[in-house]
Amino acid sequence: MKTYLPSGLPKPVPQPDGLDAPYWEGTRRGELRVQRCRACRAWQWGPEWICHACLSFDLAWEAIDGRGTIYSWERVWHPVHPALEDAGPYLVVLVELPHAGGIRMIGNLLGDPHQTVTIGAPVDAVFESHEDHALVQWRLT
Amino acid sequence: MSRTLRGRVAVAGIGETAYYKHGQSPDAEFTLALKAILRACEDAGIPPREVDGFASYSNDRSDPSRLAAALGIRELRFANMQWGGGGGGGAAAVGNAAAAVATGLADCVVVFRALAQGQFARFGLGGQVPAVSGEQAFTFPYGMISPGQRYAMRAMRFLHDHEIGREPLRAIALASYRHAQSNPRAVMHGRPLTPEMYDASRWIVEPFRLYDCCLENDGAAALVLVPAERARDLRQPRVYLLGVAQGSEHRNAAPVHNAPLYATSSFTTVAPHLYEMAGVTPGDVDVVQSYENFTGGVLMSLVEHGLFRADEAVEVCTLENLLAPKGRLPLNTSGGNLAECYMHGLELQLEAVRQLRGASPNQVPDAEVSMVCAGPMVTPVSSLIFGTEATL
Ligand SMILES: [Zn+2]
């Protein structure tokens, strides 16, 4: 499996209380799902048991269009985990999703890790398969 | 009585252990805590058995009941842990202790922090676990694991929003190292940093180079707080708490970097409360200690405390202006977390007190108002202002 970062990093698992299970189920099917309040229609990310906008507990999981823009970024050089010893540099981006209320997600920016990164640049989601989960990555469009 | 701590609590004593590189403390972490507390009591001229409370932050492992038993404290009346925020709890711990003293919950409270990162996990490494869930599941698999990686993202957006280059970050790092050269306590004493060394240093995570990042150290530090009335009988020059505030903005901890106000050091709501209680303005502040986890957070803290505007940063946040005794804004005058010791920021509180005693290794002449900003970009953060008798 070709992945942006080497294997050996901590594996993401759903929270024991089930809060984010729909997200992880979705990504395995190539679907990006986030929370949306049934009562006030507010988008919410990351997941929580209550809507921060209207305090309703009636939250749905909606599939969204994986198009966004780079809100911030960083190029990581120093490995803080043994799996990253020879992985640097690599790019981490914070992506804003205007089609989902401007929520933001963290991911890697695919492509040359030395590239010039521009805040505001358009990106779209790419699903990166791992053994029993998928990560959402981003590429410039 | 108005609801304020202004002038009601005094710092009776300060103390610290020798500061070590991480992993090099010959003492157990608990011994470090005990030694710092005993030194602070000795500095105050207060018998250790008269201490009746302890306050700390960031889940300090030296439990107050164990301390009270070990020190033979006559009676424990206050045991307080500031919740969350790591080093952002430094000023809050002083505030919590002061609130106890001012309201009669206790009479003599020690604020302390002890760290032996060699004996426990280091802050700068992370993710050495097979699986993660919750917020970490949305960041760790992308190689965003350490505090530096978490906060570089905020700092990068701040620099972008205000079109600031890296010059102010460099000035902040150089000022700390310069101040450490006249401070024999400093781990980096005798190890000066030149602009050339800074510029040639490796990237850790852009926009931070090696010297933009705090040290990791072993040691302990402590302050003893008593009611202001008692300050008259103390052996040390009088230093009073003028104001303190803690917290963060609306939904600052919204998960996975979704804070509505993202490019913040978390002080935009805290700083106005601080100044209101202290009864001073940014222009009254003579000297500032601002917690350096990373230099970008220091820059943001100074802006959010109104010491200069973001659009003035390149012009004002220069090495010349940051250096004691003559700079316009003397900053981190002991060397701070970058060059004195990463005592999780409590060393900054001690230095702020020394400035008002006239006892700093880089003394600002006639300092009357001394500020500490603790823990930028985390939540909750906290900041405080100490003043001399003349400021009451
Ligand atoms: Zn709602």
Side-chain angles (χ1 to χ4, degrees):
Chain A
M1 254 172 269
K2 175 95 179 78
T3 56
Y4 182 77
L5 292 176
S7 60
L9 285 171
K11 186 177 90 156
V13 295
Q15 262 179 238
D17 61 6
L19 172 62
D20 55 8
Y23 170 85
W24 294 109
E25 286 159 15
T27 53
R28 276 207 304 268
R29 294 195 306 268
E31 196 173 80
L32 183 54
R33 293 200 287 173
V34 299
Q35 282 186 314
R36 190 170 196 186
C37 178
R38 285 197 181 93
C40 78
R41 307 302 290 151
W43 297 93
Q44 181 157 287
W45 193 251
E48 189 47 276
W49 287 112
I50 190 168
C51 167
H52 71 272
C54 77
L55 308 187
S56 165
F57 289 93
D58 192 10
L59 288 155
W61 286 85
E62 262 186 43
I64 58 167
D65 184 352
R67 284 181 301 151
T69 56
I70 296 175
Y71 188 81
S72 191
W73 65 281
E74 65 191 29
R75 195 178 341 256
V76 181
W77 294 79
H78 177 71
V80 301
H81 188 283
L84 298 170
E85 282 299 338
D86 301 308
Y90 58 91
L91 287 167
V92 185
V93 285
L94 180 60
V95 173
E96 188 174 61
L97 299 164
H99 306 295
I103 58 167
R104 304 182 204 123
M105 292 186 169
I106 292 287
N108 296 121
L109 182 64
L110 304 181
D112 179 5
H114 295 276
Q115 67 187 284
T116 300
V117 184
T118 308
I119 288 178
V123 289
D124 66 9
V126 177
F127 294 88
E128 182 186 273
S129 291
H130 290 247
E131 203 171 314
D132 51 6
H133 66 276
L135 293 181
V136 178
Q137 303 286 27
W138 302 91
R139 71 177 166 212
L140 289 170
T141 54
Chain B
M1 190 184 293
S2 68
R3 295 192 299 145
T4 182
L5 288 170
R6 189 181 199 283
R8 294 174 65 189
V9 174
V11 180
I14 57 175
E16 74 271 300
T17 63
Y19 291 146
Y20 305 95
K21 288 187 170 180
H22 70 83
Q24 295 189 0
S25 166
D27 290 326
E29 189 174 78
F30 192 71
T31 303
L32 293 170
L34 291 168
K35 285 186 172 175
I37 292 167
L38 290 173
R39 280 176 196 162
C41 289
E42 185 185 351
D43 181 66
I46 291 174
R49 280 168 172 67
E50 282 185 26
V51 170
D52 61 1
F54 297 95
S56 190
Y57 54 101
S58 198
N59 300 327
D60 193 287
R61 289 174 283 256
S62 296
D63 178 83
S65 297
R66 182 181 173 193
L67 286 169
L71 292 167
I73 299 297
R74 279 198 287 266
E75 177 192 15
L76 181 64
R77 298 178 64 199
F78 186 68
N80 175 262
M81 173 55 66
Q82 168 73 6
W83 215 341
V94 173
N96 297 339
V101 168
T103 54
L105 293 177
D107 289 326
C108 180
V109 178
V110 165
V111 180
F112 74 95
R113 183 79 178 100
L115 266 180
Q117 294 199 49
Q119 295 163 26
F120 299 92
R122 283 178 62 186
F123 291 154
L125 297 176
Q128 322 274 322
V129 291
V132 286
S133 67
E135 168 120 14
Q136 292 182 344
F138 300 110
T139 59
F140 279 30
Y142 303 103
M144 185 192 241
I145 297 169
S146 69
Q149 294 163 354
R150 194 171 328 135
Y151 302 122
M153 197 64 91
R154 281 195 187 224
M156 186 71 90
R157 180 73 199 198
F158 181 87
L159 296 174
H160 168 84
D161 281 349
H162 300 288
E163 298 178 324
I164 299 171
R166 297 189 63 270
E167 301 86 354
L169 310 192
R170 181 167 90 151
I172 289 164
L174 292 174
S176 289
Y177 269 81
R178 186 77 74 83
H179 287 141
Q181 301 319 308
S182 32
N183 177 5
R185 279 183 307 271
V187 170
M188 291 299 170
H189 183 246
R191 298 180 61 187
L193 176 68
T194 63
E196 295 72 30
M197 285 164 66
Y198 176 91
D199 291 338
S201 68
R202 63 193 173 94
W203 289 112
I204 298 299
V205 47
E206 294 178 46
F208 302 143
R209 291 186 182 278
L210 175 65
Y211 294 109
D212 292 304
C213 305
C214 60
L215 303 169
E216 291 181 282
N217 297 110
D218 293 355
L223 302 89
V224 182
L225 303 188
V226 298
E229 309 81 77
R230 200 171 162 197
R232 284 185 283 277
D233 311 323
L234 298 176
R235 66 160 65 144
Q236 297 294 350
R238 294 165 202 176
V239 172
Y240 299 92
L241 182 66
L242 296 184
V244 60
Q246 60 163 290
S248 56
E249 300 96 352
H250 173 64
R251 302 195 72 235
N252 180 292
V256 203
H257 297 246
N258 276 273
L261 180 60
Y262 183 68
T264 176
S265 59
S266 315
F267 283 112
T268 62
T269 53
V270 171
H273 291 298
L274 172 68
Y275 286 119
E276 187 187 359
M277 183 184 286
V280 301
T281 65
D284 298 322
V285 176
D286 295 313
V287 57
V288 180
Q289 316 299 324
S290 186
Y291 188 106
E292 322 100 308
N293 37 17
F294 307 96
T295 52
V298 177
L299 172 65
M300 294 156 79
S301 302
L302 298 176
V303 168
E304 289 172 18
H305 281 83
L307 297 162
F308 52 80
R309 295 191 314 269
D311 64 7
E312 298 172 311
V314 175
E315 176 198 336
V316 177
C317 192
T318 61
L319 178 59
E320 190 187 7
N321 279 341
L322 301 181
L323 289 179
K326 294 212 174 104
R328 168 177 158 182
L329 183 66
L331 177 75
N332 296 339
T333 50
S334 68
N337 285 335
L338 295 184
E340 184 186 29
C341 174
Y342 183 74
M343 204 48 260
H344 219 182
L346 204 63
E347 85 286 354
L348 301 172
Q349 318 270 343
L350 272 60
E351 174 63 10
V353 171
R354 270 188 222 106
Q355 282 288 354
L356 300 184
R357 291 179 173 184
S360 166
N362 294 286
Q363 185 63 44
V364 173
D366 307 315
E368 302 277 2
V369 177
S370 183
M371 176 190 277
V372 183
C373 314
M377 304 184 280
V378 301
T379 173
V381 293
S382 58
S383 49
L384 64 74
I385 295 174
F386 291 125
T388 60
E389 184 102 19
T391 63
L392 294 185

